[in-house]
């Protein structure tokens, strides 16, 4: 059910953005530690992204929204939010969960089509083991670092 909700939310954000976009839109393919993302700049203020992150025995996937606060020369400052679906498998447990975070950060455009970004923010994470139904949840800070090629 959670996966369907995240997919529907992503489609409701991304598809209308593509239809209503003006001439300032740009696509971007990003590498973030440790994953990949596909960005779509709707206009000078709004950007959406679908992102996946992979680690040993973990998969995280979900949409991100960026609100660009300001652009000074080559530096773009932004804030936003992210909602993710998580799957994990360890030596003792396996299960699924969700993560929701808000963030603030910036992107430095080293070239017109290449950016280096970093953001940080608190994340609410909730995980549940499939076999024992044991649940763990809490708030932690997340730091994201990434490279994006725009086309």
């Amino acid at each position: 059910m959670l996966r369907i909700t995240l997919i529907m939310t992503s489609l409701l954000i991304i598809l209308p953005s593509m239809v209503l976009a003006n001439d300032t839109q740009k696509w971007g393919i990003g590498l973030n530690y440790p994953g990949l993302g596909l960005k779509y700049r709707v206009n000078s203020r709004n950007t959406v992204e679908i992102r996946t992150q992979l680690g040993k025995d973990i998969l995280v996937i979900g949409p991100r929204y960026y609100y660009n606060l300001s652009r000074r020369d080559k530096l773009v400052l932004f804030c936003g939010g992210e909602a993710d679906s998580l799957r994990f498998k360890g030596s003792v447990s396996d299960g699924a969960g969700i993560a929701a975070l808000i963030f603030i950060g910036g992107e430095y455009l080293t070239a017109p089509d290449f950016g280096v970004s970093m953001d940080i923010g608190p994340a609410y994470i909730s995980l549940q083991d499939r076999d024992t139904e044991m649940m763990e949840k809490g708030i932690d800070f997340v730091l994201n670092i990434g490279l994006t090629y725009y086309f």
Side-chain angles (χ1 to χ4, degrees), residues 88-138:
F88 65 93
K89 183 173 175 82
S91 59
V92 177
S93 65
D94 78 283
I98 61 165
L101 75 123
I102 56 173
F103 56 84
I104 188 162
E107 181 174 39
Y108 182 75
L109 301 170
T110 59
D113 56 355
F114 188 78
V116 178
S117 63
M118 184 171 75
D119 61 70
I120 189 168
Y124 171 79
I125 302 168
S126 175
L127 303 172
Q128 184 170 9
D129 183 76
R130 182 171 303 164
D131 296 330
T132 65
E133 300 292 321
M134 196 169 166
M135 182 177 264
E136 188 69 34
K137 51 188 157 184

Side-chain angles (χ1 to χ4, degrees), residues 34-100:
L36 301 169
L38 179 64
K39 275 186 179 180
Y40 184 76
R41 188 172 68 197
V42 179
N43 55 39
S44 64
R45 288 279 190 201
N46 300 287
T47 303
V48 291
E49 178 181 26
I50 187 77
R51 179 182 270 203
T52 184
Q53 294 178 314
L54 306 164
K56 186 176 191 269
D57 303 320
I58 189 167
L59 170 68
V60 179
I61 188 166
R64 279 188 136 213
Y65 168 75
Y66 299 84
Y67 179 77
N68 299 321
L69 299 168
S70 71
R71 181 174 181 158
R72 302 228 191 275
D73 195 25
K74 296 180 178 184
L75 180 63
V76 179
L77 299 176
F78 56 77
C79 63
E82 179 176 350
D84 296 312
S85 174
L86 299 97
R87 309 233 359 115
F88 65 93
K89 183 173 175 82
S91 59
V92 177
S93 65
D94 78 283
I98 61 165

